[in-house]
């Protein structure tokens, strides 16, 4: 049983099928065992950041607290009208076993017969300490213990929620998307506000409440309310973030929106139900030079983004800006993303690892595509298709390839056997929607000319156009990603035949074995690799380059694509440490919002001379990547080493923002560079040839070492007849037990798996001021779940 991320394995990481009662109210739940010993208990919590329309709730491990179901959280009530920050609820709870619980700030939408036929619970923010609060000793409750939301066990951890039943629409403005045609408006600083508008006309109060203070019949966004926008129900919810150090966290809009400056990246996030019936009113305001201090801005114009234009999961739409006289005065280009929850699944609230990273997880070794890249890229002015020519001209390239074919089970297992803490690999879908492990978007089929045995032509086919069975029938060929610019060495006989056979490379003799074949499925990899080896799963998705072209045309629908991959991981991930990553920021956002268990890292190439620039400004520099990661509430960033070697101060910049930082790139394939990067404080380094560059004396994953240390400590405690769970609970108040335990395990890890001590964290400590990034990612203390989690049998067991 692993520590750290999965308390009890699949039982905690489960994402179960929704049933007919998933949205039933707390009062209508049945199946409670009334024969259990029960006691009345009052829960009391303080929270200073609950806005109008939000409700403090409690969830926990027993049916009376909702059994960790987000749909069955128990609402609390304010202690008194004068005490806005104090919330309380008194319940009958079972006393026969320890009771685990958490607090969450929610928006609860009760059935109104118009918009909401069933109860909806939206988790806005919730406590995500790996170990929940524990109530173990029952007895006469003299006075309720007053908890503080997000604070316990000596550190703070509050994170944003995920998609339960709502859809999120993101509207992004970047690359100077606003064009004003009237000369007097050109160069004027504009303020922008987005308001969801219900397209169904109704006179009912419930219908009007759904769109807040604006509907289709009202004036063009001339707001009269003071302060941030929120109606009695606080639904729908519109928030905004700007990618800069001061405004990168999502917040409710001000009365007249957010100012737009040249080169800004602004992201509006709207949470709605029934997105097919919601339009988005975008109002533009400006301040006149003739206005006095304190005067409001004047209304320049407005745009409507209709749901018919948002039929794809994401894309771009250009809409006119119209003034109050219905005359067009300009246009705005909007990039949009539609994010839906995974259909038919729900994630429980028992444990979350979306931003969990232990102090001693520093300088980890990550095997790139397993044992490394086995198809080196080579740029040339002309198209090169003859591998014999390449071998004669560039023989050194063949010796820099990995000795086992990349992204195969054999490659991943070999990297693990040489002590990789994580293995990194790429996932995409076949035509029949099976997640497969493969790096590039295309495969090549060789076609030899009838009259020339040495002449080959290469036919490129997208992986997405071939079923899993067809992929497995292909002779193992790689492909040119762009035939005129980049060539991947193609045929394994041609790449490895002479050089590798002379060195008795295992691959050339075992090439027909199943584990050496390309296109293993994600499920296969999850099931056959040692569960103590972590996975860094890169989601492959087409990127738009600065010149407007895409790496792959006509991709799958992204919601379906991600739902398929995530479902496979949620079903088969077990207790394994898993981190998702992607170069596309929208993909990272979607993975973060579609589930509440696994962490996400944003891959960025930053400033580079080695690769073409991406169109999205978020992808172009490490500081922009940091702003994005903070706004998306993800674990961290995975940066290109070229940019770190250019300016190593960016490592501290990321860690000061509370982020975990990995690095990747060909520069990492050097022992001295790997050592230097670890000394800079990188949390993990991704590189090829784990068998050559890993400096551990004992070639084992840190997670295996920790698991063994826990087992040994358990045995010692068992021999001494110590009740470890009870000790953990008793000492939870001061946190000393867990810190000492983590220190012990860290010491054992150092002695067992590394020739040098682990690097100390230079990251932030303590809690950040806002809930969005509260707590220290880099300095998270070990929790009792990390070491003494209770076993939960999976369906297989």
């Amino acid at each position: 049983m692993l520590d750290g991320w999965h308390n009890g394995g699949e039982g905690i990481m489960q994402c179960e099928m929704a049933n007919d009662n998933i949205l039933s109210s707390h009062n209508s739940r049945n199946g409670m065992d009334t024969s259990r010993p029960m006691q009345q208990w009052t829960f009391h919590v303080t929270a200073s950041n609950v806005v109008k329309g939000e409700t403090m709730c409690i969830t926990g491990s027993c049916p009376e607290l909702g059994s960790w179901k987000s749909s069955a959280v128990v609402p609390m009530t304010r202690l008194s009208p004068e005490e806005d920050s104090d919330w309380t609820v008194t319940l009958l709870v079972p006393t026969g076993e320890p009771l685990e619980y958490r607090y969450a700030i929610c928006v609860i939408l009760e059935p109104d017969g118009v918009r909401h036929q069933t109860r909806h619970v939206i988790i806005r923010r919730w406590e995500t300490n790996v170990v929940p609060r524990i109530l173990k000793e029952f007895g006469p409750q003299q006075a309720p213990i007053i908890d503080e939301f997000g604070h316990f066990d000596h550190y703070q951890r509050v994170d944003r929620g995920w998609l339960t039943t709502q859809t999120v629409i993101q509207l992004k403005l970047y690359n100077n998307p606003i064009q004003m045609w009237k000369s007097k408006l050109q160069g004027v600083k504009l303020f922008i506000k987005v308001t969801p508008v219900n397209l169904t006309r109704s006179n009912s109060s419930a219908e009007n409440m759904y769109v807040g203070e604006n509907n289709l019949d009202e004036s063009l966004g001339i707001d009269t309310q003071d302060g941030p926008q929120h109606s009695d129900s606080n639904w729908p919810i519109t928030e905004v973030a700007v990618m800069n150090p001061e405004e990168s966290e999502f917040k409710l809009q001000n009365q007249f929106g957010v100012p737009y400056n040249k080169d800004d990246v602004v992201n509006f996030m709207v949470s709605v139900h029934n997105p097919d019936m919601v339009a988005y009113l975008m109002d533009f305001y400006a301040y006149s030079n003739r206005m006095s201090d304190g005067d409001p801005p004047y209304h320049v114009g407005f745009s409507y983004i209709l749901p018919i234009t948002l039929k794809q999961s994401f894309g771009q739409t250009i809409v006119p800006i119209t003034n109050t006289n219905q005359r067009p005065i300009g246009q705005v280009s909007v990039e949009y993303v539609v994010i839906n929850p995974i259909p038919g699944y729900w994630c429980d609230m028992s444990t979350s690892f979306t931003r969990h990273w232990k102090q001693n997880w520093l300088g980890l070794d990550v095997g790139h595509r397993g044992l490394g890249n086995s198809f080196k890229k080579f740029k040339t002015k002309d198209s090169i298709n003859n591998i014999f020519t390449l071998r004669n001209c560039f023989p050194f390239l063949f010796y820099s390839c990995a000795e086992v074919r990349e992204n195969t089970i054999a490659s991943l297992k070999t990297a693990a056997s040489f002590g990789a803490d994580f293995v990194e690999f790429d996932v995409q879908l076949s035509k029949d929607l099976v997640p497969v492990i493969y790096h590039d978007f295309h495969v090549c089929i060789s076609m030899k000319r009838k009259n020339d045995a040495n002449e080959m032509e290469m036919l490129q086919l997208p992986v997405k156009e071939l079923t899993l069975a067809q992929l497995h029938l292909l002779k193992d060929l790689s492909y040119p990603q762009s035939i005129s610019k980049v060539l991947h060495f193609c045929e394994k006989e041609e790449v490895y035949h002479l050089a590798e056979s002379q060195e008795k490379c295992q691959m050339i003799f075992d090439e027909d074995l199943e584990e050496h074949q390309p296109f293993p499925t994600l499920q296969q990899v999850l099931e056959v690799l040692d569960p103590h080896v972590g996975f860094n799963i890169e989601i492959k998705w087409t990127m738009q380059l600065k010149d407007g072209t895409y790496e792959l045309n006509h991709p799958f629908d992204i919601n379906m694509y991600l739902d398929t991959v995530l479902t496979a991981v949620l079903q088969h991930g077990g207790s394994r440490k898993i981190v998702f990553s992607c170069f596309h920021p929208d993909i990272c956002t979607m993975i973060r919002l579609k589930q509440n268990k696994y962490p996400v890292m944003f891959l960025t190439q930053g400033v580079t001379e080695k690769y073409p620039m991406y169109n999205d400004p978020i992808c172009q520099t490490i500081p922009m990547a940091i702003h994005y990661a903070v706004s998306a509430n993800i674990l961290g960033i995975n940066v290109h080493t070229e940019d770190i070697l250019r300016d190593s101060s960016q490592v501290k910049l990321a860690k000061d923002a509370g982020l975990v930082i990995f690095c990747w790139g060909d520069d990492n394939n050097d022992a001295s560079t790997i050592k230097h990067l670890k000394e800079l404080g990188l949390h993990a380094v991704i590189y090829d040839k784990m068998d050559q560059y890993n400096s551990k004396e004992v070639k084992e994953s840190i997670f295996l070492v920790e698991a063994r240390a826990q087992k040994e400590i358990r045995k010692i405690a068992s021999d001494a007849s110590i009740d470890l769970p009870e000790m953990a609970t008793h000492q939870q108040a001061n946190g000393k037990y867990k810190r000492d335990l983590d220190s012990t395990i860290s010491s054992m890890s150092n002695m067992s798996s590394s020739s040098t001590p682990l690097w100390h964290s230079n990251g932030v400590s303590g809690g950040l001021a806002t809930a969005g990034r509260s707590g220290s990612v880099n300095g998270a203390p070990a929790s009792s779940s990390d070491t003494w989690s209770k076993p939960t049998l999976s369906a297989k067991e």
Side-chain angles (χ1 to χ4, degrees):
M1 179 174 54
L2 287 177
D3 69 293
W5 287 9
H6 302 283
N7 182 2
E10 293 182 8
I12 292 301
M13 288 304 298
Q14 65 185 357
C15 191
E16 301 177 0
M17 288 296 296
N19 54 55
D20 292 339
N21 297 323
I22 192 170
L23 297 177
S24 63
S25 68
H26 172 70
N27 293 331
S28 65
R29 289 197 312 270
N30 50 37
M32 296 182 184
D33 184 1
T34 57
S35 65
R36 297 172 299 164
M38 307 288 284
Q39 179 179 337
Q40 184 172 285
W41 199 265
T42 298
F43 298 90
H44 186 169
V45 63
T46 64
S48 59
N49 58 345
V50 183
V51 302
K52 191 175 182 181
E54 294 179 339
T55 301
M56 180 65 71
C57 298
I58 187 171
T59 183
S61 57
C62 65
E64 291 76 12
L65 292 180
S67 299
W68 297 122
K69 295 180 180 180
S70 61
S71 61
V73 296
V74 179
M76 305 176 75
T77 57
R78 281 193 167 90
L79 188 63
S80 67
E82 295 78 21
E83 298 290 341
D84 288 345
S85 62
D86 284 77
W87 297 78
T88 184
V89 66
T90 300
L91 300 168
L92 281 175
V93 297
T95 59
E97 58 185 22
L99 180 65
E100 298 178 343
Y101 65 100
R102 301 180 186 275
Y103 295 108
I105 297 174
C106 307
V107 171
I108 300 178
L109 306 175
E110 299 293 351
D112 58 14
V114 180
R115 284 292 162 193
H116 310 297
Q117 304 301 322
T118 55
R119 184 178 189 249
H120 295 275
V121 177
I122 313 302
I123 310 297
R124 295 284 290 148
R125 299 174 297 285
W126 64 305
E127 296 180 332
T128 54
N129 295 55
V130 173
V131 180
R133 300 177 187 269
I134 302 175
L135 183 60
K136 186 177 179 69
E137 297 181 2
F138 292 88
Q141 189 180 22
Q142 302 297 330
I145 298 174
I146 301 178
D147 297 321
E148 182 180 358
F149 178 67
H151 292 265
F152 70 98
D153 195 19
H154 283 267
Y155 77 110
Q156 179 185 12
R157 178 56 55 81
V158 174
D159 285 315
R160 297 176 66 93
W162 68 101
L163 299 184
T164 52
T165 61
Q166 76 274 30
T167 292
V168 162
I169 310 293
Q170 289 200 346
L171 305 174
K172 301 192 299 180
L173 305 176
Y174 60 82
N175 288 339
N176 300 310
I178 302 171
Q179 295 182 23
M180 286 296 183
W181 300 328
K182 297 187 68 172
S183 58
K184 71 175 184 178
L185 292 174
Q186 293 175 2
V188 173
K189 184 174 183 177
L190 297 173
F191 289 70
I192 307 171
K193 184 173 183 178
V194 171
T195 306
V197 177
N198 177 26
L199 297 181
T200 303
R201 304 166 74 96
S202 173
N203 294 323
S204 72
S205 59
E207 188 91 2
N208 291 329
M209 182 173 63
Y210 178 73
V211 295
E213 307 233 356
N214 296 278
N215 61 35
L216 195 60
D217 293 328
E218 289 187 337
S219 63
L220 307 174
I222 304 295
D223 295 295
T224 57
Q225 60 188 22
D226 293 324
Q229 171 199 348
H230 39 249
S231 65
D232 288 343
S233 68
N234 200 27
W235 191 262
I237 299 171
T238 303
E239 299 170 285
V240 64
V242 185
M243 299 300 105
N244 63 47
E246 293 77 30
E247 302 172 284
S248 58
E249 293 194 39
F250 279 99
K251 295 181 176 65
L252 296 176
Q253 298 179 100
N254 292 320
Q255 180 179 0
F256 298 107
V258 61
Y260 185 83
N261 300 297
K262 187 177 183 294
D263 297 324
D264 271 353
V265 178
V266 180
N267 193 353
F268 294 92
M269 183 167 65
V270 189
S271 300
V272 299
H273 289 110
N274 304 315
D276 291 341
M277 297 304 299
V278 178
Y280 304 92
L281 171 64
M282 185 173 287
D283 285 299
F284 299 86
Y285 301 94
Y287 285 90
S288 170
N289 294 330
R290 297 190 296 270
M291 289 182 174
S292 303
D293 290 343
D295 286 347
Y298 69 94
H299 189 225
V300 173
F302 67 95
S303 297
Y304 272 111
I305 301 173
L306 299 177
I308 191 66
T309 65
L310 309 180
K311 286 301 183 182
Q312 303 298 322
S313 288
F314 58 58
Q316 181 189 56
T317 183
I318 300 176
V319 292
I321 301 173
T322 308
N323 66 13
T324 54
N325 295 322
Q326 312 300 318
R327 295 181 181 273
I329 58 174
Q331 68 180 32
V332 58
S333 175
V334 180
E335 303 281 338
Y336 69 86
V337 187
V338 179
I339 312 173
N340 297 317
I342 301 176
Y345 283 81
W346 61 271
C347 295
D348 69 30
M349 301 179 69
S350 57
T351 306
S352 174
F353 305 98
T354 55
R355 289 205 302 121
H356 177 65
W357 195 262
K358 290 172 63 176
Q359 284 180 332
N360 64 318
W361 293 349
L362 275 170
L364 302 191
D365 298 285
V366 184
H368 179 226
R369 306 183 199 172
L371 199 58
N373 184 349
S374 52
F375 302 108
K376 294 295 182 182
K377 294 182 179 180
F378 167 67
K379 294 185 179 181
T380 178
K381 295 180 180 179
D382 302 314
S383 174
I384 300 178
N385 292 315
N386 193 313
I387 294 178
F388 291 101
T389 300
L390 282 174
R391 176 165 30 216
N392 293 331
C393 296
F394 305 99
F396 67 91
L397 290 176
F398 293 91
Y399 291 95
S400 65
C401 295
E403 295 183 354
V404 182
R405 189 167 301 278
E406 68 180 45
N407 278 329
T408 60
I409 291 176
S411 182
L412 299 172
K413 280 187 172 182
T414 304
S417 71
F418 283 99
D421 301 302
F422 285 88
V423 288
E424 183 270 349
F425 54 83
D426 312 278
V427 173
Q428 54 186 304
L429 292 187
S430 63
K431 185 177 181 179
D432 49 347
L433 307 182
V434 178
V436 295
I437 313 303
Y438 205 68
H439 177 265
D440 286 28
F441 292 111
H442 298 83
V443 294
C444 255
I445 298 176
S446 64
M447 299 180 296
K448 293 185 178 180
R449 296 181 183 275
K450 292 181 179 180
N451 299 326
D452 190 346
N454 293 324
E455 187 82 18
M456 286 196 308
E457 289 189 1
M458 309 299 288
L459 175 63
Q460 277 195 93
L461 292 176
V463 172
K464 71 182 184 68
E465 298 298 337
L466 298 170
T467 66
L468 179 64
Q470 290 170 333
L471 291 171
H472 285 171
L473 286 173
L474 290 177
K475 189 173 184 180
D476 188 4
L477 296 178
S478 190
Y479 40 84
Q481 201 173 41
S482 172
I483 290 180
S484 62
K485 294 182 179 180
V486 179
L487 178 67
H488 282 246
F489 293 117
C490 301
E491 205 165 356
K492 63 187 176 187
E493 288 87 353
E494 296 297 339
V495 174
Y496 295 104
H497 181 262
L498 293 178
E500 301 297 347
S501 64
Q502 291 172 2
E503 297 183 13
K504 305 295 185 182
C505 172
Q506 181 183 11
M507 178 181 178
I508 193 68
F509 302 112
D510 292 344
E511 60 185 2
D512 294 327
L513 295 181
E514 180 66 26
E515 291 187 348
H516 286 265
Q517 297 307 305
F519 309 109
T521 68
L522 177 58
Q523 180 177 341
Q524 282 179 296
V525 172
L526 287 165
E527 291 176 344
V528 303
L529 258 74
D530 186 334
H532 296 99
V533 179
F535 282 1
N536 179 184
I537 302 177
E538 180 184 340
I539 304 296
K540 296 295 295 184
W541 189 256
T542 179
M543 297 288 294
Q544 185 182 23
L545 303 178
K546 192 66 176 177
D547 62 8
T549 62
Y550 285 86
E551 295 173 320
L552 176 71
N553 295 318
H554 311 297
F556 290 106
D557 175 82
I558 186 56
N559 273 289
M560 180 272 295
Y561 186 96
L562 290 179
D563 292 346
T564 304
V565 175
L566 289 173
T567 298
V569 176
L570 291 164
Q571 289 180 340
H572 305 286
S575 59
R576 190 185 305 277
K577 275 67 170 181
I578 296 175
V579 175
F580 286 101
S581 64
C582 187
F583 281 100
H584 202 303
D586 293 339
I587 304 298
C588 293
T589 298
M590 296 178 79
I591 298 172
R592 171 61 181 84
L593 290 178
K594 283 176 174 286
Q595 50 85 45
N596 67 358
K597 302 302 179 188
Y598 293 110
V600 183
M601 304 279 287
F602 174 47
L603 271 164
T604 177
Q605 62 185 30
V607 177
T608 178
E609 297 179 357
K610 299 181 179 181
Y611 299 101
M613 182 181 292
Y614 292 136
N615 184 55
D616 192 331
I618 291 174
C619 305
Q620 295 170 7
T621 67
I622 290 177
M624 286 297 288
I626 292 171
H627 301 328
Y628 162 74
V630 170
S631 74
N633 197 219
I634 60 177
L635 179 66
I637 58 176
N638 191 344
V639 303
H640 191 201
T641 299
E642 177 191 2
D643 205 1
I644 289 296
L645 296 178
R646 181 186 62 83
D647 180 6
S648 62
S649 68
Q650 296 177 111
V651 176
K652 184 177 185 301
L653 191 66
K655 298 178 79 171
D656 286 349
L659 300 174
V660 168
I661 179 169
F662 290 15
C663 66
W664 64 276
D666 290 339
D667 291 311
N668 292 358
N669 298 325
D670 174 79
S672 60
T673 302
I674 294 171
K675 180 180 178 181
H676 173 64
L677 292 167
K678 291 181 177 182
E679 289 171 346
L680 288 176
L682 273 293
H683 293 92
V685 181
I686 303 173
Y687 57 89
D688 295 342
K689 296 194 174 182
M690 186 66 58
D691 55 335
Q692 296 183 27
Y693 298 131
N694 190 337
S695 61
K696 294 177 182 177
E697 290 182 355
V698 179
K699 308 299 186 183
E700 293 181 335
S701 161
I702 188 175
F703 308 124
L704 174 60
V705 174
E706 289 183 350
R708 184 187 302 118
Q710 292 173 35
K711 184 177 180 179
E712 292 174 358
I713 294 173
R714 277 182 173 276
K715 184 178 185 304
I716 294 170
S718 176
D719 293 343
S721 300
I722 299 173
D723 186 348
L724 289 175
E726 183 174 350
M727 181 191 295
T729 303
H730 177 71
Q731 298 195 23
Q732 188 179 35
N734 59 29
K736 180 178 183 298
Y737 169 75
K738 291 185 292 300
R739 290 194 298 273
D740 290 348
L741 182 60
D742 188 51
S743 177
T744 302
I745 293 176
S746 177
S747 299
M748 298 181 75
S749 301
N750 294 341
M751 292 186 292
S752 302
S753 64
S754 177
S755 59
T756 56
L758 286 173
W759 292 265
H760 296 291
S761 171
N762 294 321
V764 304
S765 60
L768 300 181
T770 58
R773 296 296 301 181
S774 62
S776 167
V777 173
N778 302 315
S783 58
S784 59
S785 168
D786 289 338
T787 44
W788 311 124
S789 54
K790 296 181 294 185
T792 302
L793 294 180
S794 68
K796 277 195 253 184
E797 295 168 323

